[in-house]
Amino acid sequence: MTREMRMVHTALWREFGLMPKLIAGVAEGDTERAALVAGHLDLVSTILHHHHHAEDLEIWPNLLERCPADIALV
């Protein structure tokens, strides 16, 4: 499972890191490209939301049970 988590995190970090340049690269008035970029941003944001939701349900409860002293929740 740790391999898959690393893959997802790497992909999300990559995509969110590329977003500013992707957005800035849309020419003024290019509504077709803007819609394509907006769709991509929506997809990546949705994936991030579902990923974090899954972590909240599956990962954090196990960590809190197994090593509560090692986890600092603010």
Side-chain angles (χ1 to χ4, degrees), residues 17-30 33-34 37-38 41:
L18 292 171
M19 283 183 190
K21 189 174 181 180
L22 184 65
I23 293 166
V26 176
E28 186 175 342
D30 189 350
R33 178 74 177 164
V37 170
L41 300 181

Side-chain angles (χ1 to χ4, degrees), residues 9-70:
H9 286 155
T10 298
L12 289 169
W13 273 102
R14 177 185 177 275
E15 291 304 312
F16 277 101
L18 292 171
M19 283 183 190
K21 189 174 181 180
L22 184 65
I23 293 166
V26 176
E28 186 175 342
D30 189 350
T31 57
E32 185 176 331
R33 178 74 177 164
L36 181 68
V37 170
H40 179 68
L41 300 181
D42 184 52
L43 173 65
V44 175
S45 296
T46 299
I47 291 169
L48 177 65
H49 169 75
H50 288 289
H51 172 73
H52 281 162
H53 182 68
E55 284 182 339
D56 290 345
L57 294 175
E58 303 295 331
I59 302 296
W60 286 105
N62 290 329
L63 290 175
L64 287 169
E65 179 183 315
R66 294 175 188 170
C67 50
D70 297 326

